[in-house]
Amino acid sequence: MSMFLSLFLASMPRTNWMAIRQRAVPTAIRHFRGGLASASTVVPQRMDVTSVCETKRKPKVVVIGSGLAGLTAAITAAESSADVLLLEKNDKLGGNSAKATSGINSVNAKEGDTPERFIEDTKKAGHQVNDPGLLELLAEKSTDALHFLHDRLVSDASESGGTVNELSNAIRGGGHSIARTFRFPPDSETGRPVPVGWTLVSTLERHLRKLPNAQIMSGMEVTGLVTNKDQQKVTGVKAHRTSDDTKASDSASVKVESIDADAVILASGGFAASEGLLHRYAPKFAQLPTTNGAWATGDGLEIATGVGVATRDLVHVQVHPTGFLHPSRPRERSVFLAPEALRACGGVLISPTLHRR
């Protein structure tokens, strides 16, 4: 069984199609085939753990990236009895997932929604170039994704003695024919919106840190994948502490560690903060500002292609229509996201020159 987190059309900062599909997270980690799994491309794979079990040791899974994809993959692997090491190059976890504010898309059965309707809406929004198999899995498993998150939110509230945040408010986001973007209700005391991405990321991080067979190492940048001699199987990663970059006078002084693994999961996000990769894969978007964090530099893409991993659809970069600009700095490279929910919940776009809708 695989399950999918769908931070899809509703809450994505501008990013690439691989990163959009990153939100679909395979959860049956114990069944992945030894080597490289990717939470970015969502290609279901299986891990043959027979040889691992024969040695009476737990399989070791390395997860690269700590957004919702990485955290979900790490939790599921750990709860499937693997030893898990999550590596994050930043000091804090969350990546762009922590910035996502609009909600999570899922089939809304209460409103008569169906997976088939979800698929058709997404095909239309994707101009019919969507991968049919991945799209079907996304729609079919979207409800499971909400249940997965709900269970962790309940557990977190129970342990802290707080009130359970529930993804119970559904709005109709862009590209949807029905309200299927689920959000938290406004804060009961202040009436302010509850940040969806940050709340989910912080909840999953707390859950992962409590698992005895899971370890988190932040400030660790993965620089390469280790393979066997014929490069047919990924057997680990090469990484170094990002603090070494500022201490070392030259790259030769950076201490690179080799970490063995039975499976490596790439959940490292997109490349919209890298002008170089945008020029290479989607040049027509290279001059546009980005709402991505500075960390979205396509590291996982670079290290994967470095060992011969094939790619697809990198030309499809989502351009979000709204962002907050400072009037005196309209050409800034990085801008703050004006999210989908702003419009879905009643926001109106006004032309700055025509002063009308």
Side-chain angles (χ1 to χ4, degrees), residues 2-6 8 24 105-108 113-123 131-145 180:
S2 294
M3 179 191 63
F4 294 86
L5 290 180
S6 159
F8 222 152
N105 297 333
S106 176
V107 171
N108 188 356
D113 195 13
T114 64
E116 292 74 23
R117 188 171 179 179
F118 192 173
I119 289 171
E120 288 306 310
D121 284 351
T122 310
K123 280 183 177 180
D131 184 297
L134 299 181
L135 185 52
E136 182 178 342
L137 285 169
L138 170 68
E140 293 286 350
K141 301 302 179 182
S142 61
T143 302
D144 288 348
R180 65 165 68 95

Side-chain angles (χ1 to χ4, degrees), residues 7 115 128 266-267:
L7 283 173
Q128 307 297 320
L266 290 177

Side-chain angles (χ1 to χ4, degrees), residues 71-356:
L71 289 169
T72 301
I75 289 170
T76 306
E79 292 180 348
S80 299
S81 300
D83 283 325
V84 176
L85 174 62
L86 184 145
L87 301 176
E88 167 58 50
K89 70 177 180 180
N90 294 315
D91 292 332
K92 295 182 179 181
L93 307 191
N96 279 341
S97 294
K99 294 160 64 73
T101 58
S102 291
I104 296 179
N105 297 333
S106 176
V107 171
N108 188 356
K110 291 182 178 179
E111 296 296 326
D113 195 13
T114 64
E116 292 74 23
R117 188 171 179 179
F118 192 173
I119 289 171
E120 288 306 310
D121 284 351
T122 310
K123 280 183 177 180
K124 184 178 180 180
H127 299 283
Q128 307 297 320
V129 300
N130 320 71
D131 184 297
L134 299 181
L135 185 52
E136 182 178 342
L137 285 169
L138 170 68
E140 293 286 350
K141 301 302 179 182
S142 61
T143 302
D144 288 348
L146 284 184
H147 291 163
F148 173 89
L149 295 171
H150 176 76
D151 291 347
R152 273 68 188 177
L153 290 164
V154 170
S155 175
D156 188 64
S158 176
E159 293 179 8
S160 66
T163 303
V164 179
N165 277 318
E166 295 192 61
L167 291 162
S168 56
N169 279 17
I171 62 173
R172 180 180 172 182
H176 298 282
S177 62
I178 197 169
R180 65 165 68 95
T181 301
F182 288 85
R183 301 168 46 78
F184 296 115
D187 184 277
S188 59
E189 295 183 1
T190 66
R192 296 173 62 88
V194 176
V196 178
W198 183 88
T199 301
L200 293 176
V201 164
S202 57
T203 298
L204 295 187
E205 179 183 350
R206 286 191 293 270
H207 186 84
L208 182 62
R209 290 188 182 279
K210 294 171 185 175
L211 298 177
N213 53 327
Q215 180 183 5
I216 297 172
M217 295 181 69
S218 57
M220 284 290 288
E221 182 173 3
V222 176
T223 56
L225 297 171
V226 180
T227 64
N228 60 359
K229 291 183 179 180
D230 59 3
Q231 287 199 337
Q232 295 301 304
K233 179 180 178 181
V234 173
T235 59
V237 301
K238 295 178 181 179
H240 69 88
R241 291 203 170 276
T242 53
S243 57
D244 292 343
D245 292 335
T246 56
K247 295 177 181 178
S249 57
D250 58 80
S251 59
S253 302
V254 176
K255 182 181 178 182
V256 177
E257 301 179 34
S258 183
I259 303 171
D260 294 333
D262 297 296
V264 174
I265 300 175
L266 290 177
S268 48
F271 59 85
S274 169
E275 289 190 58
L277 291 181
L278 282 171
H279 277 290
R280 183 189 308 173
Y281 295 116
K284 68 179 180 179
F285 301 127
Q287 300 305 316
L288 295 177
T290 181
T291 59
N292 278 216
W295 51 78
T297 50
D299 302 358
L301 176 62
E302 295 275 54
I303 65 173
T305 54
V307 296
V309 173
T311 62
R312 57 172 289 180
D313 295 334
L314 298 182
V315 67
H316 295 299
V317 174
Q318 180 191 10
V319 178
H320 200 282
T322 53
F324 291 106
L325 301 176
H326 194 287
S328 65
R329 299 189 298 274
R331 300 294 180 184
E332 281 188 312
R333 170 66 186 163
S334 179
V335 299
F336 193 79
L337 178 69
E340 171 70 22
L342 192 68
R343 302 185 304 280
C345 292
V348 176
L349 299 182
I350 304 294
S351 167
T353 54
L354 301 177
H355 304 292
R356 66 186 185 195

Side-chain angles (χ1 to χ4, degrees), residues 28-34 46-61 80-82 233 262-263:
I29 306 300
R30 59 186 169 188
H31 299 305
F32 275 48
R33 186 173 182 80
R46 294 182 178 274
M47 183 171 76
D48 181 0
V49 298
T50 304
S51 59
V52 175
C53 294
E54 288 174 351
T55 61
K56 296 184 178 180
R57 70 174 179 85
K58 295 179 179 179
K60 182 175 181 179
V61 176
S80 299
S81 300
K233 179 180 178 181
D262 297 296

